[in-house]
Amino acid sequence: MAGMSLLRSAAAFLSRLQPLQRGQVGKGALQKRVPPAITVPVRFDSHGPRLFVVRPSTYYDKRFLQLFKHYVLLAAVPAGVVIALINIFIGPAELAEIPEDYVPEHWEYYQHPVTRFIAKYTFDSYQKSYEKEMALIHIENEKILLRLYEKEARRHMRQRGDGPWYQFETLDKNLIDNSPRVNPDF
């Protein structure tokens, strides 16, 4: 890439030096271009040369910006309006006396109404998540115990020779009738 650029600039410089070689020395001789020996008529319909400029595509950039604007207008603006209205009309929660026999729910510990809503409808309570973790630990412990019992049972079966591989006696090979194989049909 750099080599082509260097070659192109060298060619442009040498084309500017051609007037000096032909004996046209004078003011501005380096800026003048000598027309080529063979001229070809070219039509410029829009008053100038039409150039094909190679540049990277902007399709994905424009598409991303359009989708971003769409989703901002679709979701972020209404959510911002709702949160602003909640802050103006409802406001943060205030501390108050709790009755003796009242147990607050897990979402009632948060001050902001939006946070309370999210905690109530999307997250589990700490007690529930703790019980779920304990249930998983209990299930894994039961699996470990069952694997240990199975390992112990296999060890006893190997020692005593009463495993499933000893339950079926194999037939004596003298009892197998090989007469059909001796005289095959032609």
Side-chain angles (χ1 to χ4, degrees):
M1 196 71 165
M4 289 300 292
S5 177
L6 185 64
L7 185 65
R8 192 175 296 136
S9 60
F13 181 71
L14 289 177
S15 70
R16 289 180 188 270
L17 289 178
Q18 282 181 352
L20 291 176
Q21 293 173 356
R22 292 186 183 174
Q24 297 177 356
V25 180
K27 188 176 181 182
L30 287 178
Q31 283 84 22
K32 289 183 182 177
R33 289 227 178 230
V34 176
I38 301 171
T39 58
V40 178
V42 178
R43 290 180 59 191
F44 298 118
D45 292 338
S46 62
H47 308 293
R50 300 177 75 187
L51 300 175
F52 179 77
V53 180
V54 179
R55 65 179 140 215
S57 173
T58 59
Y59 172 75
Y60 291 106
D61 297 336
K62 288 179 182 177
R63 178 173 172 119
F64 170 76
L65 291 175
Q66 286 174 352
L67 289 174
F68 183 73
K69 181 177 69 173
H70 172 74
Y71 285 116
V72 163
L73 292 175
L74 186 70
V77 171
V81 168
V82 168
I83 290 172
L85 291 175
I86 287 173
N87 284 331
I88 291 170
F89 292 111
I90 297 175
E94 296 177 0
L95 290 175
E97 284 291 325
I98 299 175
E100 296 264 344
D101 56 345
Y102 181 73
V103 177
E105 298 290 336
H106 70 280
W107 66 84
E108 294 178 358
Y109 290 104
Y110 296 101
Q111 184 179 12
H112 198 269
V114 176
T115 312
R116 294 175 96 176
F117 180 82
I118 292 170
K120 182 176 182 180
Y121 292 107
T122 59
F123 298 133
D124 290 333
S125 66
Y126 295 114
Q127 293 86 5
K128 186 175 179 181
S129 60
Y130 176 78
E131 289 296 328
K132 287 179 4 183
E133 290 292 325
M134 289 297 110
L136 287 175
I137 290 171
H138 179 69
I139 289 169
E140 291 300 320
N141 281 336
E142 284 184 349
K143 286 180 184 178
I144 289 170
L145 285 175
L146 285 174
R147 287 188 194 111
L148 286 175
Y149 292 151
E150 184 178 354
K151 188 176 179 182
E152 184 75 16
R154 286 181 185 270
R155 187 175 64 81
H156 284 300
M157 285 191 293
R158 275 195 303 274
Q159 284 177 353
R160 298 174 186 163
D162 60 350
W165 49 89
Y166 291 110
Q167 300 299 323
F168 304 105
E169 293 182 5
T170 56
L171 293 175
D172 187 16
K173 64 180 183 179
N174 294 329
L175 297 175
I176 299 174
D177 184 20
N178 290 324
S179 60
R181 296 182 187 169
V182 174
N183 298 324
D185 294 336
F186 290 106

